[in-house]
Amino acid sequence: MLEDIYTELIAEHSHATENRRQLPNATIKERGHNPSCGDDIILELEISDGVIKDAAFTGQGCAISQASTDMMIELLRGKNIDDAKKLAELFIAMIKGNVTDDDELIQLDEAAALKNISNMPARVKCATLAWHTFLGVKN
């Protein structure tokens, strides 16, 4: 059952097109690249008054990296930068297996479904690429 939800979310988000575009009013563009597998994204953010007004991405990668990027954008859009960075840090801690409390992970919304990637070491970099890219943004 849980595996079905995970698979369904990965498929849904990896094929979603709403967030896969260039952002005409981007104030920040940051590239994320994983040379070990070829995942490569450009994260674009429109930040105004410390709030992520809009976000989008372009690039290519495996289903997990693309789905994770899409989930991240859905989660962070509308958040202030400090709150968004805390969520990104929480996601990375979850994937590393350092945070496992479901009550805390509920903040991640659908992205919490990627929790079990912590058991797949080869996929950790795929799942965290966008989140690390976001944390690298200078604002």
Side-chain angles (χ1 to χ4, degrees), residues 18-19 21 23 44-56 71-85 87 134:
E18 177 187 341
N19 298 319
R21 58 191 164 85
L23 203 57
E44 298 184 27
L45 304 169
E46 179 186 348
I47 298 175
S48 178
D49 297 324
V51 174
I52 301 168
K53 298 291 186 191
D54 202 0
M71 289 177 189
M72 180 190 79
I73 287 171
E74 293 289 322
L75 182 65
L76 301 186
R77 185 181 286 122
K79 302 273 190 304
N80 75 51
I81 291 292
D82 291 337
D83 290 343
K85 288 195 173 190
L87 289 169
F134 172 71

Side-chain angles (χ1 to χ4, degrees), residues 99-115:
V99 177
T100 58
D101 179 10
D102 288 338
D103 289 337
E104 190 171 355
L105 297 178
I106 200 161
Q107 301 171 69
L108 296 175
D109 198 29
E110 287 185 328
L114 301 180
K115 178 180 176 180

Side-chain angles (χ1 to χ4, degrees), residues 27-49:
T27 53
I28 294 176
K29 291 183 183 184
E30 189 77 25
R31 179 178 182 226
H33 179 67
N34 180 356
S36 64
C37 69
D39 293 340
D40 196 359
I41 63 164
I42 302 291
L43 179 63
E44 298 184 27
L45 304 169
E46 179 186 348
I47 298 175
S48 178
D49 297 324

